[in-house]
Amino acid sequence: MKIIKQYRPYFLIVLLCLLFFWPFFSKGLLPIPSDITVGAYFPWLDQNWGFPTGVPIKNPLPSDIPSIILPWRLSVIEAFKSGQWPLWNPHYLLGMPLLANFQSAAFSLSNIFFLFFREALAWSWGIIAQTLVSLLLMYWYLKEKKHSLSASLFGAIIFSFSGFSIVWHQYNVHGWTQAFLPLILLLTHRYYQTGQKKYLPLLSLATAFQIFAGYLPIVIFTWIIVSATLLFQKRILNKKTIPYLSFLFLGLLVSAIQTLPGLELLRDSVRKIDPTVEASNASYLPLRHLLTLVFPNFFGNPATKNYWGHAFYDNYAFWVGIIPTLLALLALLKSKKKKLSIFLLALGLALSIKNPIGQFLEKLLFL
């Protein structure tokens, strides 16, 4: 009983993951929208696979997963297994860069599962693991900040199962990148609190592996949050900062194998002039979409084929739940140390909604 009580939070976190991914464990279903492949793409579309008019597609929106994200990763794994660097993807027209493409995630921690499982299972375990890792790391960070067990668990659940996390979790990219935010905050807090330099090599690794996870905007947001936290805690200019920045730079050096070719590819990307991207106009959050903070399906949902909002559902998914939102507002009203929270909230809105400050910051921060 003593052991159960001591490790109760971890039992709850594992149980939550088991419940959430129960179809995988009980029915052998995979967290991959592969119905899109056989229900929308040729040559599989030529057959109806036992259905009256073909395979019904539950949600067409995550079509990037079976059509580009998963194939990119499998090309990376195929290259590594054949003893080659995954520099070039030969499967698109005349080919395209592979390693330089951030979302190929050639060095993501999730790739370790491909050493032990066949491709479909390895991909699935990567998605399950990102949720488990996210829950554990946010729980540890909140406990480190002296929150109660229930508050820490609740915060970890909100972070790991928010609208953004759920909408993007099958991509096996965004969730891993996001999971490193609480780890970097935890290591930063422990170093400045204790002055022990043993946390700094771990900070270097966390910095590098967050970049390797494959989604650069979350990396930029992470360091905005960390910088703001240090600034408001008045820890920017003291004797601990130089070692901290040195190991941060070391992490950036380790990740240079990804960032240097990645930034070169971004510079030459056709996306800036792509008419499809321009037509979608999926950039700033329209003011009316602020309603989805508490009503996520106010403008419908692609799974029910009734979405009538601006651009795409996934681009604007940011709800965290009604109860967490109310508790967050209550905390802002009651907290004695709310300057940091207000600053981050204001900055988040400035970067989300079209305005001169946000547009200036967008260019300044390479967003």
Side-chain angles (χ1 to χ4, degrees), residues 15-16 21 110 140 143 147 188 211 228 234 243 246 286 294 341 350:
L15 178 62
L16 188 61
F21 291 103
S110 64
W140 286 339
K143 283 297 290 179
H147 293 292
T188 300
I211 292 169
K234 298 178 180 177
S246 300
V294 287
S341 300

Side-chain angles (χ1 to χ4, degrees), residues 18 129 139 145 221 285 317 342 361:
L18 288 172
Y139 171 76
K145 296 292 285 182
F221 293 141
L285 184 76
I342 292 172
L361 291 172

Side-chain angles (χ1 to χ4, degrees), residues 91-107:
H91 303 299
Y92 285 74
L93 302 176
L94 296 177
M96 62 175 282
L98 184 60
L99 174 65
N101 181 354
F102 280 99
Q103 292 194 63
S104 297
F107 305 108

Side-chain angles (χ1 to χ4, degrees), residues 265-283:
L265 183 62
L266 281 175
R267 185 194 65 196
D268 297 333
S269 173
V270 71
R271 189 176 179 86
K272 289 173 285 189
I273 56 170
D274 185 351
T276 306
V277 174
E278 186 68 29
S280 72
N281 194 26
S283 54

